[in-house]
Protein backbone atom coordinates (compact mmCIF):
# COMPACT_ATOMS: atom_id res chain seq x y z
CA UNK A 1 0.00 0.00 0.00
CA UNK A 2 1.36 3.39 -0.99
CA UNK A 3 1.81 5.82 1.87
CA UNK A 4 3.34 9.27 2.18
CA UNK A 5 4.09 10.85 5.56
CA UNK A 6 5.30 14.45 5.63
CA UNK A 7 6.89 15.96 8.73
CA UNK A 8 9.02 18.86 9.89
CA UNK A 9 6.60 21.71 9.44
CA UNK A 10 6.10 24.46 11.98
CA UNK A 11 6.00 28.16 12.74
CA UNK A 12 9.03 30.23 11.80
CA UNK A 13 9.82 33.92 11.41
CA UNK A 14 10.56 35.41 8.03
CA UNK A 15 14.16 34.72 7.06
CA UNK A 16 14.22 31.49 9.01
CA UNK A 17 14.66 27.89 7.87
CA UNK A 18 12.84 24.59 8.07
CA UNK A 19 13.57 21.12 6.78
CA UNK A 20 10.69 18.95 5.67
CA UNK A 21 10.86 15.18 5.37
CA UNK A 22 8.66 12.81 3.45
CA UNK A 23 8.77 9.11 4.22
CA UNK A 24 7.39 7.08 1.36
CA UNK A 25 6.35 3.47 1.42
CA UNK A 26 6.67 2.13 -2.06
CA UNK A 27 8.89 -0.68 -3.30
CA UNK A 28 9.94 1.29 -6.37
CA UNK A 29 10.91 4.45 -4.45
CA UNK A 30 14.55 4.29 -5.54
CA UNK A 31 13.46 4.21 -9.19
CA UNK A 32 10.85 6.97 -8.95
CA UNK A 33 11.19 10.71 -9.23
CA UNK A 34 9.68 12.64 -6.32
CA UNK A 35 8.15 16.08 -6.05
CA UNK A 36 7.10 18.61 -3.44
CA UNK A 37 3.93 20.65 -3.79
CA UNK A 38 2.23 23.22 -1.61
CA UNK A 39 -1.24 24.63 -1.11
CA UNK A 40 -1.86 27.98 0.50
CA UNK A 41 -5.28 28.89 1.91
CA UNK A 42 -7.69 29.71 -0.87
CA UNK A 43 -5.22 28.77 -3.57
CA UNK A 44 -4.67 25.77 -5.77
CA UNK A 45 -1.95 23.25 -5.07
CA UNK A 46 1.26 24.10 -6.92
CA UNK A 47 4.57 22.47 -7.77
CA UNK A 48 7.54 23.50 -5.62
CA UNK A 49 10.45 21.19 -6.39
CA UNK A 50 11.25 17.83 -7.94
CA UNK A 51 14.12 15.38 -7.90
CA UNK A 52 15.07 12.52 -10.18
CA UNK A 53 15.24 8.95 -8.93
CA UNK A 54 19.01 9.06 -8.37
CA UNK A 55 19.06 12.58 -6.96
CA UNK A 56 21.24 13.95 -9.74
CA UNK A 57 18.55 16.06 -11.38
CA UNK A 58 16.44 18.65 -9.60
CA UNK A 59 13.80 21.15 -10.68
CA UNK A 60 12.45 24.18 -8.84
CA UNK A 61 9.59 26.59 -9.23
CA UNK A 62 10.88 30.08 -9.90
CA UNK A 63 9.56 31.38 -6.61
CA UNK A 64 11.82 29.07 -4.56
CA UNK A 65 14.98 28.98 -6.68
CA UNK A 66 18.02 29.83 -4.62
CA UNK A 67 16.13 29.39 -1.34
CA UNK A 68 14.90 25.78 -1.28
CA UNK A 69 16.83 22.57 -1.91
CA UNK A 70 15.38 19.11 -2.53
CA UNK A 71 17.31 15.94 -1.76
CA UNK A 72 16.63 12.27 -1.15
CA UNK A 73 17.95 9.24 0.67
CA UNK A 74 16.91 6.13 -1.23
CA UNK A 75 18.15 3.86 1.56
CA UNK A 76 15.57 5.47 3.84
CA UNK A 77 12.89 5.96 1.17
CA UNK A 78 12.78 9.59 2.21
CA UNK A 79 12.83 12.87 0.33
CA UNK A 80 13.69 16.20 1.95
CA UNK A 81 12.99 19.85 1.34
CA UNK A 82 15.39 22.31 2.92
CA UNK A 83 13.73 25.71 3.03
CA UNK A 84 15.84 28.78 3.73
CA UNK A 85 15.12 32.52 3.68
CA UNK A 86 11.46 31.78 4.23
CA UNK A 87 8.90 34.44 3.40
CA UNK A 88 5.33 34.91 4.67
CA UNK A 89 4.08 33.96 1.19
CA UNK A 90 5.66 30.52 1.69
CA UNK A 91 2.96 29.79 4.26
CA UNK A 92 1.13 26.68 3.06
CA UNK A 93 0.62 22.99 3.59
CA UNK A 94 3.47 21.14 1.91
CA UNK A 95 3.00 17.73 0.31
CA UNK A 96 5.25 15.23 -1.44
CA UNK A 97 4.28 12.76 -4.11
CA UNK A 98 5.67 10.32 -6.62
CA UNK A 99 6.69 11.48 -10.06
CA UNK A 100 6.67 14.98 -11.52
CA UNK A 101 3.10 15.31 -12.70
CA UNK A 102 0.74 18.22 -12.42
CA UNK A 103 -1.00 18.37 -9.02
CA UNK A 104 -4.43 17.60 -10.45
CA UNK A 105 -3.21 14.28 -11.82
CA UNK A 106 -2.65 12.70 -8.41
CA UNK A 107 -5.35 10.61 -6.75
CA UNK A 108 -3.58 10.16 -3.41
CA UNK A 109 -2.01 12.68 -1.04
CA UNK A 110 -0.54 12.38 2.41
CA UNK A 111 -1.62 14.60 5.30
CA UNK A 112 0.95 17.27 4.45
CA UNK A 113 3.10 19.45 6.69
CA UNK A 114 1.91 22.90 7.73
CA UNK A 115 4.48 25.65 7.30
CA UNK A 116 3.65 29.05 8.72
CA UNK A 117 5.99 31.99 8.21
CA UNK A 118 5.34 35.08 10.30
CA UNK A 119 6.45 38.55 9.28
Amino acid sequence: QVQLVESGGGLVKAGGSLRLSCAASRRTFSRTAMAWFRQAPGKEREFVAGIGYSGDVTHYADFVKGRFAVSRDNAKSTVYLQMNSLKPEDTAVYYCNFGLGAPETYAYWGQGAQVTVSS
Side-chain angles (χ1 to χ4, degrees):
Q1 182 178 357
V2 172
Q3 193 172 22
L4 296 162
V5 179
E6 299 91 348
S7 61
L11 174 63
V12 64
K13 291 184 178 179
S17 299
L18 282 174
R19 188 192 193 206
L20 303 182
S21 299
C22 168
S25 62
R26 184 172 181 176
R27 289 186 300 151
T28 58
F29 178 86
S30 63
R31 302 192 300 275
T32 305
M34 295 293 294
W36 284 96
F37 302 86
R38 71 185 187 185
Q39 187 167 22
K43 295 187 177 181
E44 294 187 348
R45 197 167 299 181
E46 60 184 354
F47 170 83
V48 174
I51 186 167
Y53 70 92
S54 66
D56 290 345
V57 179
T58 57
H59 306 276
Y60 297 95
D62 287 343
F63 52 78
V64 301
K65 281 182 180 177
R67 300 189 298 124
F68 290 11
V70 59
S71 61
R72 65 190 295 160
D73 185 338
N74 284 343
K76 296 181 178 180
S77 294
T78 300
V79 61
Y80 305 97
L81 186 66
Q82 177 67 44
M83 304 184 295
N84 300 323
S85 302
L86 283 162
K87 306 175 181 180
E89 51 264 44
D90 293 320
T91 295
V93 180
Y94 285 72
Y95 303 87
C96 65
N97 220 318
F98 301 99
L100 300 174
E104 60 270 20
T105 64
Y106 292 95
Y108 170 80
W109 294 93
Q111 86 288 349
Q114 175 68 51
V115 172
T116 303
V117 185
S118 62
S119 57

